[in-house]
Amino acid sequence: MANVVVVGSQWGDEGKGKIVDWLSEQADVVVRFQGGHNAGHTLVIDGTTYKLSLLPSGVVRNKLSVIGNGVVLDPKALVAEIDRLKEQGIKVTPDSLRIAENCTLILPLHSELDVARERSSGKGAIGTTGRGIGPAYEDKVGRRAIRLMDLADLQVLNGKIERLLTHHNALRRGLGMEEINARTVYDDLAEIAPKVLPFMDSVWSLLDEKRREGKRILFEGAQGALLDIDHGTYPYVTSSNTVAAQAATGSGLGPNAIGYVLGICKAYTTRVGQGPFPTEQLNEIGKTLGTKGKEFGVVTGRPRRCGWFDAVLVRQTVRTSGIQGIALTKLDILDGFEEIKICTGYKLDGREIDYLPASEHSQARVEPIYETAEGWDEVTAKARSWAELPAQAIKYVRRIEELIGCPVALLSTSPEREDTILMQNPFET
Ligand code: IMP
């Protein structure tokens, strides 16, 4: 019986929400281990749509949900999300949600800095979600962050705020922003503290206990491996490690706690924000994929850039995340295409390569090498068995498996959890 890590194998938005929800029914604990409220996970349960940004998907299934130390936590966003769920009839209590005491906090000054820096970067902007994710991780690594546990010790909080503001006010002066006064930050934190502190826990030890009890743990990744700070398309990435290994570091369990790595992968490719995208289709094909696939960001509402499936990228993330099985999503969006292209390699300066080069400059210049697959007219949406799929769709899936060097464990054919074809149950490997 394995603990399962779910990670995005492209640039995020692969449909993790549905798959995590599908798996969370079999799990005892669901853990978020990186990112923050920049994520947008959509779950459709009995016709009701739930949109989560920060909370682990387990909250809607009444599973013990855990926010690990690798997450950057905006306390106001947390409270707002809990309130939104309450309106939808989902109660989140300290019995159902635990948050690591050593979680770094996102404060309003982080999102302000995120937005101001993006504005002043002009063409060099990353296209961030503006949620303050990058600046908060910078403060964590700079060893000046305010952490959740600091809210429990208001005596020491003032000193920490002063230290943080020495850094931030210097930056703000440079960017022509108004300086922040320590009292405002303190009052804000003191007000929110009683609402979030009841959820605080020693997460590493709680998870260790659950593991010893033989409970099934599901680690819920956010974003995608190509947005990883080390292994992604740097600098057009998010500020955390999004690869599967982060599940260990970001929760406080050892790497041997991870049993199975499931990569979520869309049957085509999308990306939000700036950065290289070799198979992007700035034409009718891209528009059709975007419209049929409803490709708009859950968090920012921005339209996603769309293109053909890029096997080079996924083959690489299968390796950098140690992905053992793929959950392939949105195959139905390809229904009706006469032909479908798959990128199998790149051309760079007249040379053929089978990997994504590391430098930003080279990434921007690679040209995709395509092979063409035959499309299908039949509807694959809502299929629940291989037998319901047209031969061309099966051939397409088989070809993807071959090119990325990884089997498809699950095939998702609509946002509804029941519309899933199971080849291999990740929890039973
Ligand atoms: P940040 O995470 O807000 O700093 O944004 C950095 C990059 O990651 C931008 O290109 C964002 O569009 C992208 N990004 C962040 N979160 C998500 C997500 O959940 N899905 C897809 N892209 C994301």
Side-chain angles (χ1 to χ4, degrees):
M1 194 175 69
N3 293 324
V4 176
V5 183
V6 171
V7 285
S9 67
Q10 293 155 315
W11 279 295
D13 309 315
E14 298 92 350
K16 287 183 288 295
K18 166 184 162 170
I19 305 294
V20 169
D21 177 49
W22 191 88
L23 288 167
S24 70
E25 201 164 50
Q26 302 169 56
D28 299 298
V29 188
V30 184
V31 186
R32 276 280 309 264
F33 56 87
Q34 48 70 229
H37 64 311
N38 50 346
H41 292 172
T42 306
L43 287 77
V44 183
I45 300 172
D46 299 331
T48 306
T49 303
Y50 302 93
K51 288 186 191 286
L52 303 176
S53 283
L54 183 55
L55 291 167
S57 300
V59 290
V60 294
R61 296 242 165 239
N62 213 12
K63 300 285 172 166
L64 178 62
S65 298
V66 172
I67 295 182
N69 54 279
V71 169
V72 278
L73 181 93
D74 182 326
K76 285 189 181 162
L78 175 81
V79 171
E81 198 165 310
I82 291 174
D83 288 347
R84 264 198 312 279
L85 279 182
K86 199 170 166 195
E87 282 167 22
Q88 289 191 289
I90 307 279
K91 233 173 132 187
V92 179
T93 68
D95 285 336
S96 59
L97 174 70
R98 313 301 298 158
I99 307 177
E101 55 196 351
N102 47 349
C103 237
T104 291
L105 297 188
I106 300 183
L107 311 180
L109 55 83
H110 292 120
S111 38
E112 285 164 22
L113 180 61
D114 195 354
V115 172
R117 273 208 301 229
E118 284 283 274
R119 271 205 203 115
S120 65
S121 298
K123 277 197 170 162
I126 304 293
T128 71
T129 59
R131 298 290 190 266
I133 306 294
Y137 276 118
E138 286 167 34
D139 282 343
K140 172 179 180 173
V141 179
R143 294 163 292 191
R144 57 181 169 263
I146 310 273
R147 303 192 293 173
L148 181 57
M149 66 178 87
D150 298 328
L151 302 188
D153 193 350
L154 294 179
Q155 298 277 325
V156 299
L157 188 58
N158 266 324
K160 298 206 171 198
I161 293 173
E162 290 291 351
R163 211 169 107 73
L164 186 70
L165 288 188
T166 306
H167 176 80
H168 275 270
N169 278 335
L171 281 176
R172 291 171 77 96
R173 280 193 296 275
L175 285 161
M177 297 164 74
E178 208 178 306
E179 289 190 31
I180 303 178
N181 151 323
R183 189 80 226 169
T184 316
V185 179
Y186 179 89
D187 289 348
D188 240 22
L189 290 174
E191 189 189 330
I192 199 91
K195 295 187 184 150
V196 289
L197 284 174
F199 299 103
M200 186 169 85
D201 206 344
S202 167
V203 155
W204 70 267
S205 111
L206 169 76
L207 290 177
D208 180 59
E209 195 182 299
K210 295 291 168 197
R211 199 178 156 214
R212 285 170 199 276
E213 286 169 10
K215 301 288 187 209
R216 284 177 168 190
I217 305 175
L218 176 63
F219 297 92
E220 177 179 9
Q223 291 86 45
L226 294 167
L227 288 170
D228 183 278
I229 186 79
D230 289 298
H231 303 286
T233 47
Y234 190 91
Y236 301 99
V237 291
T238 190
S239 297
S240 63
N241 282 111
T242 55
V243 293
Q246 175 64 15
T249 328
S251 67
L253 283 174
N256 56 351
I258 302 172
Y260 184 92
V261 181
L262 182 71
I264 316 297
C265 182
K266 220 181 266 194
Y268 49 100
T269 313
T270 63
R271 158 159 224 178
V272 211
Q274 304 307 309
F277 183 171
T279 62
E280 183 171 20
Q281 297 296 300
L282 293 165
N283 50 30
E284 281 311 309
I285 294 167
K287 276 189 205 154
T288 308
L289 290 171
T291 313
K292 282 181 76 179
K294 299 193 181 70
E295 298 294 352
F296 294 92
V298 174
V299 172
T300 60
R302 292 181 288 180
R304 296 176 186 143
R305 300 156 64 192
C306 299
W308 295 120
F309 186 80
D310 189 334
V312 181
L313 295 180
V314 180
R315 186 163 59 226
Q316 197 153 320
T317 59
V318 160
R319 296 180 197 169
T320 55
S321 262
I323 293 171
Q324 289 150 294
I326 287 284
L328 192 68
T329 61
K330 293 190 140 179
L331 182 68
D332 56 296
I333 306 305
L334 298 177
D335 295 355
F337 276 94
E338 204 169 306
E339 50 181 41
I340 300 165
K341 295 213 156 117
I342 308 177
C343 170
T344 57
Y346 298 138
K347 255 198 176 154
L348 180 65
D349 301 330
R351 230 167 28 95
E352 281 190 21
I353 55 171
D354 63 358
Y355 59 90
L356 181 73
S359 95
E360 177 189 353
H361 182 56
S362 301
Q363 287 176 2
R365 286 182 305 122
V366 296
E367 288 167 39
I369 300 170
Y370 288 116
E371 68 176 37
T372 305
E374 200 186 332
W376 55 89
D377 282 330
E378 293 86 341
V379 174
T380 63
K382 302 206 146 291
R384 293 186 185 181
S385 71
W386 278 108
E388 292 174 56
L389 296 177
Q392 298 92 322
I394 295 176
K395 215 168 147 194
Y396 180 72
V397 176
R398 292 298 182 218
R399 183 62 182 142
I400 284 180
E401 287 180 317
E402 205 170 68
L403 286 168
I404 65 173
C406 184
V408 169
L410 288 159
L411 191 70
S412 159
T413 56
S414 100
E416 295 284 346
R417 55 185 279 114
E418 290 74 20
D419 298 331
T420 305
I421 303 172
L422 177 67
M423 270 71 82
Q424 183 185 42
N425 188 334
F427 275 120
E428 284 161 15
T429 54

